[in-house]
Amino acid sequence: LAKTTQPPSMEAYEGQEVNVSCSHTNIATSEYIYWYRQVPHQGPQFIIQGYKDYVVNEVASLFISADRKLSTLSLPWVSLRDAAVYYCIVTDRMDSNYQLIWGSGTKLIIKP
Amino acid sequence: DAGVTQTPRHEVAEKGQTIILKCEPVSGHNDLFWYRQTKIQGLELLSYFRSKSLMEDGGAFKDRFKAEMLNSSFSTLKIQPTEPKDSAVYLCASRDWGSEQYFGPGTRLTVL
């Protein structure tokens, strides 16, 4: 069973900043938070990962609450290309055999 | 840098046929995963290899699904015999130690 809860869908206009939330109330101290996205007819693509506080890369930002039970993926200035399903996953990266357990994700719909 | 390659991109099979799907991981990656993706079940793990050794065989998929890693740069997934319920997208992913997973574009299988 997936360890995360996400809204099933969201809508935004091009140019907006989008925040996709993810609840992981039972996250273990050894677990990290990963975000992937999948556009139609392609495999999922890694976006960002984090353990606590705030992580930023060239694509997105990841905010993690102080108790680590909630994370928010922030996408600045979305375009039609950002329309995808966004998956939040928590997993124990310290386990050398760690695997990803996928939930249903959040479908992001971009309106022109 | 070549990503994960999967062939064929589309496959149509008659019920009862044997089909073989192919995957070439990212060069140098130690871990390889096979997933099945459907609208209803989402992403399900079929097999997981580490340095060509089978670490996870996907439990419920054991009887007609067999993944092999013949060398570090090539893996196959055999489905024998196929059934209409096997219609899905089959995704291959690879990763280096402790890194994120890189996915191929997938093979869309239709079983008539």
Side-chain angles (χ1 to χ4, degrees):
Chain A
L1 287 177
K3 304 178 186 177
T4 60
T5 303
Q6 300 176 239
S9 65
M10 295 180 67
E11 290 186 354
Y13 286 97
E14 280 195 287
Q16 280 187 310
E17 179 184 55
V18 171
N19 296 310
V20 186
S21 64
C22 179
S23 171
H24 23 81
T25 53
N26 295 318
I27 188 169
T29 52
S30 58
E31 289 181 318
Y32 282 68
I33 301 153
Y34 289 76
W35 284 84
Y36 283 75
R37 73 177 177 188
Q38 185 176 22
V39 299
H41 310 300
Q42 291 186 27
Q45 181 183 33
F46 172 76
I47 302 172
I48 198 166
Q49 70 176 31
Y51 183 79
K52 65 177 183 177
D53 298 332
Y54 175 74
V55 182
V56 61
N57 63 20
E58 63 276 8
V59 175
S61 302
L62 178 60
F63 300 85
I64 302 166
S65 65
D67 62 5
R68 303 204 322 123
K69 293 180 187 298
L70 181 69
S71 62
T72 302
L73 176 74
S74 181
L75 305 169
W77 297 97
V78 294
S79 69
L80 293 174
R81 293 180 306 173
D82 295 312
V85 178
Y86 287 80
Y87 295 95
C88 167
I89 302 161
V90 297
T91 191
D92 185 352
R93 200 176 67 175
M94 302 310 290
D95 176 357
S96 61
N97 291 334
Y98 77 93
Q99 298 174 31
L100 303 179
I101 300 174
W102 300 78
S104 304
T106 297
K107 184 175 183 178
L108 177 61
I109 299 165
I110 305 296
K111 297 185 279 189
Chain B
D1 244 356
V4 176
T5 304
Q6 289 188 249
T7 54
R9 291 296 309 275
H10 298 89
E11 178 80 62
V12 179
E14 298 281 342
K15 178 183 172 182
Q17 270 188 288
T18 295
I19 62 102
I20 297 176
L21 309 181
K22 305 177 183 71
C23 174
E24 294 177 33
V26 174
S27 177
H29 280 186
N30 304 100
D31 294 351
L32 185 139
F33 301 82
W34 282 99
Y35 291 92
R36 184 173 78 171
Q37 186 173 32
T38 61
K39 277 189 171 37
I40 295 173
Q41 298 293 337
L43 273 150
E44 300 172 284
L45 181 68
L46 298 175
S47 294
Y48 162 36
F49 292 88
R50 161 148 294 180
S51 300
K52 299 188 296 179
S53 295
L54 183 63
M55 308 298 291
E56 172 69 51
D57 64 3
F61 296 97
K62 270 198 269 197
D63 58 344
R64 296 180 300 106
F65 292 73
K66 184 176 175 64
E68 291 185 310
M69 195 143 188
L70 307 178
N71 56 55
S72 60
S73 58
F74 186 70
S75 176
T76 59
L77 175 66
K78 180 192 287 188
I79 308 176
Q80 178 183 34
T82 52
E83 298 181 6
K85 66 181 179 180
D86 300 331
S87 297
V89 175
Y90 290 83
L91 290 160
C92 178
S94 70
R95 74 175 177 206
D96 199 354
W97 294 94
S99 78
E100 66 273 16
Q101 292 185 16
Y102 290 79
F103 282 81
T107 295
R108 181 173 294 277
L109 173 64
T110 302
V111 182
L112 305 174

